[in-house]
Amino acid sequence: MLITPLGAIKLFVNDEEVGFTAIKLDFELHCRDVNGRYLIQYEYKSEMKNQEIKCCIPSLDVKGEIESGESLEAVSYYRNDIKLTIGVEGEFTDEAKYIDYGGGYLSNGIQYVTNHTTSDRKFYFGVCWIQPLTEENDIQTWFGADPTLM
């Protein structure tokens, strides 16, 4: 479990909570003012077949805002002067590029969805938050939660 200012991050596979290790990452040029930046890895094996791999904050009670980019799907949550972003590698709407897995946004997080053609791989979730949030530093959690930049 990873504790954030908006609640505990949890990982679920087919609605069963699973343990994980959150790797604390350094702050970089594009996210130098953030308070927390973590990478969560999930090892998927093809024999596990169809899975929904969810990274979420079950206790979250605020509406998320989608902040996707090229090869990045991300959702951000705001409360008072806090912004928290959860990001995954992929493009949920580009079936040709990521044909063997998909994903989706949740009311309290984000998920990967595997299918019968998904090959062995690691799925990554980036989690990043900043406080106090300002107009000038708002974009930093987007960079900080991008798994391709970790």
Side-chain angles (χ1 to χ4, degrees), residues 10-121:
K10 295 188 178 184
L11 198 64
F12 294 88
V13 177
N14 293 339
D15 294 323
E16 286 191 36
E17 187 174 353
V18 296
F20 64 89
T21 301
I23 302 166
K24 185 172 176 53
L25 300 173
D26 293 332
F27 307 133
E28 298 187 1
L29 177 63
H30 298 301
C31 56
R32 65 186 174 280
D33 299 320
V34 298
N35 302 91
R37 183 173 182 240
Y38 292 85
L39 178 66
I40 296 170
Q41 301 176 50
Y42 175 75
E43 186 87 29
Y44 172 80
K45 299 288 185 195
S46 59
E47 67 263 15
M48 296 175 186
K49 306 287 185 220
N50 299 351
Q51 292 188 345
E52 291 180 346
I53 307 157
K54 301 176 183 178
C55 181
C56 60
I57 303 174
S59 64
L60 199 59
D61 61 356
V62 296
K63 186 176 185 308
E65 293 185 23
I66 295 172
E67 293 189 327
S68 60
E70 189 172 334
S71 297
L72 171 68
E73 296 291 346
V75 60
S76 294
Y77 300 94
Y78 297 83
R79 183 185 297 145
N80 301 324
D81 67 341
I82 301 166
K83 178 184 180 186
L84 181 140
T85 304
I86 304 172
V88 298
E89 181 181 3
E91 293 185 18
F92 296 160
T93 60
D94 187 353
E95 294 298 322
K97 188 172 183 184
Y98 296 99
I99 195 76
D100 74 340
Y101 71 90
Y105 294 100
L106 308 169
S107 63
N108 59 2
I110 197 165
Q111 71 179 353
Y112 287 105
V113 178
T114 66
N115 60 51
H116 67 281
T117 63
T118 305
S119 57
D120 291 355
R121 72 175 75 230

